[in-house]
Amino acid sequence: MHVMKHVQHCFVSWKWALRQNGSQPSSMKKEREMMTRSIVFFDIDGTLLNEQKRIDPSTKQAITQLQQSGIYTAIATGRCPASFKWVCEELNIQSFVSMNGQYVVFEGQVIHDNPIPAAEVDRLTTMADERNHPLVYLQADAMQKSMKHNTFTEALKQFQIERLPIRQVSDSNKPVYQILLFCNEQDGMEYAAHFPDYQQHRWHTHAVDFLHANTTKAVGLQKMIEHAGFSREHCYAFGDGTNDIEMLQFVGTGVAMGNASDDIQMHANYVTSSNNEDGIRNGLQAIGLI
């Protein structure tokens, strides 16, 4: 109950600031406004998207309500920007934390990027090729695969990705921020032993996200709110996966989706209904933002 009152107070404070400031505020007033203005981060898969990989009308309406009331909205996902451009366009969102915090954009400006060193990309590629494990290289504006392999079709189907170009030698100078490694859990342990400075987030029986060990969505959130002047206290996040745990812990108020496992829900302040049951709208109502 105390948390709910606090959330509502933050929201009312921002609305009060809008009424009081009137015309063009000074730089000091702008800074104060940003520090009290709320920002909500949304994961994509299992959160914004339902099981059919579509955005429910209730979700779109709820996010529009947030934006119209002056609450800032942003994406926080493990995907690369090229694969969720349509989500940003449909929801009128211009800022995002992508590839689990590796690449952050605020209103069209890249404010943080943390690519995997080219030598490490090559080392992983060599090891994966030797074991016939396919890779997908995530860049800021593209996705490429290391080889033709049947595993791709089934695992990437959930992202509505059917065809990817094979990475060429000429592409080696392009920054890679995250790699999708297709292997089972036992093989994943072998990779972990060879790459102790990197982490894996398993999102499929035969696939993991491979990225820097010290990078999470929470790191990306921190970069964005510092750049834009938001306070952590007025920061909210919705998520459902293991790569959302640090984000849910970092924000002032974390909301886990009803379809998230108990291991995820335990790290959130609130649990809403599932991504198939108007979870975004119901969660935003529960915390008093709409």
Side-chain angles (χ1 to χ4, degrees), residues 19-70:
R19 291 197 300 268
Q20 294 296 317
N21 288 335
S23 58
Q24 186 67 31
S26 66
S27 58
M28 185 175 295
K29 285 183 178 179
K30 283 183 178 179
E31 184 177 352
R32 286 200 302 266
E33 289 173 3
M34 291 301 287
M35 290 300 289
T36 58
R37 185 182 182 188
S38 296
I39 180 171
V40 187
F41 290 90
F42 298 96
D43 171 51
I44 293 180
D45 299 287
T47 302
L48 283 177
L49 304 186
N50 59 25
E51 286 186 358
Q52 288 72 45
K53 294 300 176 181
R54 299 179 183 277
I55 300 173
D56 283 337
S58 67
T59 297
K60 188 171 183 178
Q61 182 180 20
I63 290 177
T64 298
Q65 284 183 257
L66 286 180
Q67 294 165 344
Q68 290 176 342
S69 64

Side-chain angles (χ1 to χ4, degrees), residues 85-98:
K85 182 180 178 182
W86 69 274
V87 177
C88 292
E89 291 175 347
E90 189 165 337
L91 296 177
N92 191 31
I93 292 177
Q94 291 81 39
S95 301
F96 55 81
V97 172
S98 66

Side-chain angles (χ1 to χ4, degrees), residues 177-206:
Y177 296 91
Q178 182 172 291
I179 298 174
L180 307 185
L181 167 61
F182 292 81
C183 66
N184 59 35
E185 289 192 30
Q186 184 175 351
D187 290 330
M189 293 174 63
E190 182 183 5
Y191 284 100
H194 282 81
F195 293 88
D197 295 329
Y198 293 82
Q199 61 178 308
Q200 299 176 25
H201 286 293
R202 184 161 294 278
W203 50 269
H204 186 274
T205 307
H206 296 289

Side-chain angles (χ1 to χ4, degrees), residues 239-245 248 256 260-268:
D240 75 301
T242 57
N243 62 337
D244 294 318
I245 291 176
L248 294 174
S261 67
D262 292 342
D263 291 341
I264 310 302
Q265 294 181 6
M266 65 182 292
H267 296 284

